[in-house]
Amino acid sequence: MPTYPFYCEKCKKTFELNLKLSEYDKKKTFQCPKCKGTKVRREIAAFQTITSKKS
Ligand SMILES: [Zn+2]
């Protein structure tokens, strides 16, 4: 099962969730494991830009 990075706006911290790709696509709200808040956003964009840097 792949791990996806998320950012919690309440904790101001990143965390990871293990989700199936289908779950990740369909789910609209995710829950922070620390504060149980749902003000979280997907951090996948940052993840993809890491390797796009050319030297
Ligand atoms: Zn949180």
Side-chain angles (χ1 to χ4, degrees):
M1 212 183 280
T3 308
Y4 297 97
F6 290 87
Y7 174 79
C8 176
E9 289 184 14
K10 211 171 166 186
C11 303
K12 307 234 187 292
K13 279 186 179 158
T14 54
F15 62 93
E16 290 178 339
L17 289 177
N18 292 313
L19 295 164
K20 289 177 197 154
L21 186 62
S22 58
E23 270 184 295
Y24 182 77
D25 281 342
K26 282 177 194 166
K27 259 187 139 175
K28 293 209 168 64
T29 52
F30 298 91
Q31 199 174 42
C32 171
K34 287 184 188 113
C35 69
K36 308 285 178 201
T38 50
K39 276 202 121 185
V40 299
R41 58 168 197 253
R42 303 175 194 196
E43 284 286 278
I44 201 81
F47 197 32
Q48 290 172 329
T49 52
I50 295 166
T51 51
S52 64
K53 206 173 154 187
K54 282 183 183 175
S55 57

